[in-house]
Amino acid sequence: MPTLKGKTLFITGASRGIGKAIALRAARDGANIVIAAKTTEPHPKLPGTIYTAAEEIEKAGGRALPCMVDIRDEQQIAAAVAKAVETFGGIDILVNNASAISLTGTLETPMKRYDLMHGINTRGTFACSQACIPHLKKSSNPHILNNSPPLNMEARWFAPHVAYTMAKFGMSMCVLGMAEELKSDGIAVNAIWPRTVIATAAVQNLLGGEETMRGSRFPEIMADAAYAILTKPSREFTGNFCIDEEVLRAEGVTDFSKYQEPGAELLPDYFL
């Protein structure tokens, strides 16, 4: 069976939520995890820091390198990439997970919030990819995986929150373009997106609180789906916009009950 043992993953936004779940799944194989995130001090509304995540990763069986990185700053990205290569000898996988969200209409979206979403989602994804690609080229099975939706270019996905949709679709456009651009280098570039809402701090704080959390699946479903993608041969599986549930069904999973609160009615995610 394919494994991530000894592989080095550079994961943005890995201090909590989906990013941390992906890190912990890889850590169980004995992977090296670069935690590229901003949170260094405990926050009243956001669980975990890069250091608490590092502790969990090492308890799970991996090696962790916590790096304070604001992915809007390419110098911070470059420093973290250099430290990762110095510590672990290279980079095999990049997971562009970090995102900012504001489900607001055009008049309700301050330009500061617009800039934040585009700076983190689209620009941050591009910048992290650019910094990691030279090292990914040296890997035996290199992957880039973006936490972004299929490019469903329908007005209904833009109208309620055009700024956010543009920022997330920017990440997906990176998949579309880079998968073809990097095909000859054997670097797989794919996207992963959830069928349902996922229980994260963003959902808790911004998208409906406890009621929405109850109708959300746990981040582990995204982690298991990401694992299935990242262990595939990079030259054979690239340019795909994957949905977590579909990936796991293809792997033979039929019971998804462990990923949710018993009896909860699941809420579908955006863009599907």
Side-chain angles (χ1 to χ4, degrees):
M1 290 290 289
T3 175
L4 295 180
K5 183 176 176 60
K7 299 289 187 183
T8 298
L9 289 76
F10 190 103
I11 307 178
T12 68
S15 57
R16 64 181 65 90
I18 292 167
K20 189 179 79 170
I22 293 172
L24 290 172
R25 179 63 189 89
R28 297 206 320 251
D29 276 7
N32 309 316
I33 313 293
V34 184
I35 307 158
K38 283 198 308 180
T39 309
T40 56
E41 300 289 334
H43 187 285
K45 287 191 172 181
L46 299 172
T49 68
I50 59 174
Y51 305 113
T52 58
E55 287 176 19
E56 289 184 58
I57 287 162
E58 296 194 337
K59 279 181 189 168
R63 294 173 67 200
L65 177 65
C67 293
M68 200 291 283
V69 181
D70 182 339
I71 62 168
R72 293 171 293 177
D73 184 331
E74 56 265 41
Q75 290 179 325
Q76 291 186 26
I77 296 168
V81 167
K83 196 170 180 186
V85 173
E86 180 189 343
T87 305
F88 298 126
I91 296 172
D92 301 287
I93 291 166
L94 167 64
V95 180
N96 286 306
N97 165 72
S99 285
I101 184 170
S102 180
L103 300 180
T104 45
T106 300
L107 295 179
E108 294 74 39
T109 307
M111 288 312 298
K112 186 176 180 182
R113 177 61 57 171
Y114 177 99
D115 290 341
L116 179 73
M117 288 191 285
H118 283 258
I120 292 174
N121 302 6
T122 304
R123 188 181 187 277
T125 292
F126 187 92
C128 289
S129 301
Q130 187 181 72
C132 288
I133 286 166
H135 305 286
L136 293 171
K137 285 182 177 182
K138 300 172 187 174
S139 172
S140 60
N141 195 42
H143 281 262
I144 297 174
L145 182 63
N146 294 355
N147 182 358
S148 67
L151 285 167
N152 292 335
M153 305 295 277
E154 301 170 30
R156 66 191 175 118
W157 298 127
F158 286 83
H161 36 71
V162 64
Y164 173 66
T165 301
M166 288 166 66
K168 287 305 285 188
F169 278 16
M171 296 175 71
S172 299
M173 288 177 182
C174 286
V175 171
L176 188 69
M178 289 181 193
E180 193 66 25
E181 178 187 6
L182 302 174
K183 193 175 280 186
S184 61
D185 294 306
I187 300 174
V189 189
N190 295 290
I192 180 78
W193 194 248
R195 169 71 63 199
T196 72
V197 178
I198 300 295
T200 63
V203 169
Q204 175 89 54
N205 297 332
L206 302 172
L207 304 179
E210 289 301 329
E211 189 176 340
T212 307
M213 288 287 278
R214 179 164 167 74
S216 304
R217 279 179 169 153
F218 307 142
E220 285 71 23
I221 189 170
M222 286 285 279
D224 289 349
Y227 182 87
I229 294 166
L230 297 173
T231 51
K232 292 182 187 299
S234 62
R235 290 186 177 274
E236 298 172 19
F237 192 84
T238 188
N240 300 286
F241 292 93
C242 305
I243 306 302
D244 58 355
E245 186 178 306
E246 293 172 8
V247 170
L248 293 175
R249 285 190 188 281
E251 297 288 314
V253 178
T254 55
D255 181 7
F256 293 86
S257 60
K258 69 176 181 177
Y259 297 119
Q260 68 175 90
E261 295 285 350
E265 186 174 342
L266 294 171
L267 301 168
D269 209 323
Y270 300 102
F271 306 120
L272 299 179

